[in-house]
Amino acid sequence: MEFFEKAGAMAIGSRLRVLTDRITDDASDIYKLYDIDLHPKWFPVFYVLSTGEEKTITGIAQEIGHSHPSVSKIISEMTMSGLIQERKDDLDGRRNMVSLSEKGRSYLERIQFQYKDVENAIHGITAQGTHNLWKAVEEWEFLLMQKSLLRRVTEQKKARESNDVQIVNYEPKYAQAFKALNEQWISSYFEMEEADYKSLNDPEGYILENGGLILVALYHNQPVGVCALIKMNDGEYDLELAKMAVSPAAQGKNIGWLLGNAALDRASEMNAKKVYLESNTILKPAINLYHKLGFQKIAGQPTPYERCNIQMAVDISSRNPSKN
């Protein structure tokens, strides 16, 4: 117990295994106490077959929430112990129907006393305890079905690492990173095009001097992500969100969201009303990010990029940068 006090909540899996092992060891002795030759792990299968109805292995697996291979192995073990009998389905010879054997059925009356005594013992523990373990497990199962522990930990990791990300304005020293990061992601999916070279080879002249801006994401002071706002003069959209790229080594740190959100904040500060972007639907994570930022698909505009097959826009006229 001293280990768990030191390790804390992160050792919950280990602690539950210790508790499960303790209860399982007692369960083995409890079956012996009632002269019942049953392994604790067989109980779910025994219980669902105790109604007398024949079932398939697939049906049992679905009912008790175990995998098919796991149930198949238990069925084999119980068959060897003489507790289960199998036969081929009359209508479908590919399916095995399983039921309790005569020996298995002989346990049904005796085990009722065990059920009652175990249930009363559990109620006794619950009455002595401060917390109801059964209800707590039920609640945890529900919560983990809604969102797994893996997903929750991933979110915490992303949030923690996001705190080490800084979004800064472009400086000439980031020119190489701006070009390299964009070339890396573009080349991973498509081919570089003439419009790419124009902006990447001369970001100051093509973007900044024309009224746009470039943002750089720094992780531990290293540039790992970039994006740009390019001034538009088509009468409907004020700025284009473009040239967003994140290093593969830095993905999973919420950098795309931080860059996109910061860019929209800056667009709002520049009194922009509508921001436009172009992308490709094979970039599913990027499209999801844009939707999260508020972008919606719009009708096509003339585009210089062959790879573009979706155009999106967001109205930021009511955006409050201080809330993002």
Side-chain angles (χ1 to χ4, degrees), residues 19-46:
L19 179 61
T20 299
D21 289 344
R22 179 175 296 173
I23 293 174
T24 300
D25 288 344
D26 276 350
S28 296
D29 292 332
I30 290 170
Y31 284 120
K32 294 176 183 176
L33 184 65
Y34 291 82
D35 195 25
I36 294 174
D37 183 18
L38 197 68
H39 193 285
K41 72 176 182 179
W42 298 348
F43 172 71
V45 173
F46 177 85

Side-chain angles (χ1 to χ4, degrees), residues 85-324:
Q85 57 190 12
E86 295 185 71
R87 70 172 184 82
K88 293 293 183 181
D89 188 352
D90 294 334
L91 299 178
D92 186 349
R94 296 169 300 178
R95 297 197 312 172
N96 281 357
M97 305 301 296
V98 298
S99 61
L100 291 179
S101 65
E102 184 177 346
K103 178 181 177 182
R105 291 193 298 273
S106 72
Y107 289 166
L108 293 178
E109 183 176 353
R110 237 180 311 159
I111 206 169
Q112 298 303 316
F113 296 108
Q114 177 183 326
Y115 287 166
K116 184 175 182 180
D117 294 343
V118 169
E119 188 171 5
N120 287 335
I122 297 298
H123 287 325
I125 295 173
T126 301
Q128 286 183 289
T130 304
H131 307 288
N132 187 318
L133 178 61
W134 187 260
K135 292 294 184 183
V137 169
E138 186 179 88
E139 185 176 40
W140 270 63
E141 287 173 340
F142 173 79
L143 293 172
L144 291 175
M145 282 178 65
Q146 304 305 305
K147 185 188 293 187
S148 71
L149 181 58
L150 172 61
R151 182 177 167 191
R152 292 169 188 268
V153 172
T154 300
E155 289 176 355
Q156 291 297 319
K157 178 177 182 288
K158 183 180 291 188
R160 174 178 53 77
E161 293 179 338
S162 295
N163 291 330
D164 294 325
V165 177
Q166 292 178 283
I167 306 298
V168 300
N169 290 329
Y170 174 88
E171 297 178 34
K173 64 181 179 180
Y174 297 129
Q176 180 56 35
F178 180 68
K179 181 178 181 179
L181 287 168
N182 271 286
E183 285 184 339
Q184 183 179 32
W185 89 258
I186 293 171
S187 299
S188 296
Y189 298 95
F190 313 103
E191 292 184 2
M192 292 284 290
E193 300 181 40
E194 181 180 352
D196 294 314
Y197 291 113
K198 286 182 179 179
S199 59
L200 297 180
N201 289 336
D202 184 18
E204 286 98 341
Y206 189 83
I207 299 173
L208 302 182
E209 292 176 9
N210 287 323
L213 65 83
I214 298 172
L215 296 176
V216 180
L218 303 179
Y219 183 64
H220 295 159
N221 295 318
Q222 295 298 314
V224 293
V226 292
C227 75
L229 286 172
I230 300 175
K231 190 74 172 178
M232 296 183 70
N233 297 302
D234 73 341
E236 184 174 1
Y237 303 106
D238 304 295
L239 295 166
E240 178 186 356
L241 179 65
K243 293 297 175 278
M244 180 183 285
V246 176
S247 168
Q251 289 177 357
K253 295 176 174 55
N254 231 19
I255 292 174
W257 166 257
L258 294 173
L259 276 169
N261 221 11
L264 294 184
D265 280 350
R266 293 297 298 275
S268 181
E269 292 168 3
M270 296 163 68
N271 296 317
K273 303 302 180 185
K274 291 185 178 180
V275 179
Y276 167 89
L277 68 78
E278 298 181 337
S279 189
N280 190 291
T281 50
I282 69 168
L283 305 172
K284 292 182 180 180
I287 301 299
N288 289 337
L289 171 62
Y290 300 144
H291 279 300
K292 187 177 177 183
L293 288 167
F295 284 87
Q296 298 295 324
K297 186 180 184 301
I298 60 170
Q301 297 267 329
T303 172
Y305 294 103
E306 290 186 14
R307 62 176 177 268
C308 172
N309 73 352
I310 185 173
Q311 293 156 322
M312 308 175 76
V314 60
D315 187 333
I316 60 169
S317 56
S318 61
R319 185 181 180 87
N320 186 346
S322 65
K323 294 183 180 179
N324 296 284

Side-chain angles (χ1 to χ4, degrees), residues 50-67:
S50 63
T51 61
E53 181 183 350
E54 288 184 310
K55 296 180 182 289
T56 64
I57 293 177
T58 299
I60 294 172
Q62 291 174 344
E63 192 168 345
I64 68 176
H66 286 202
S67 68

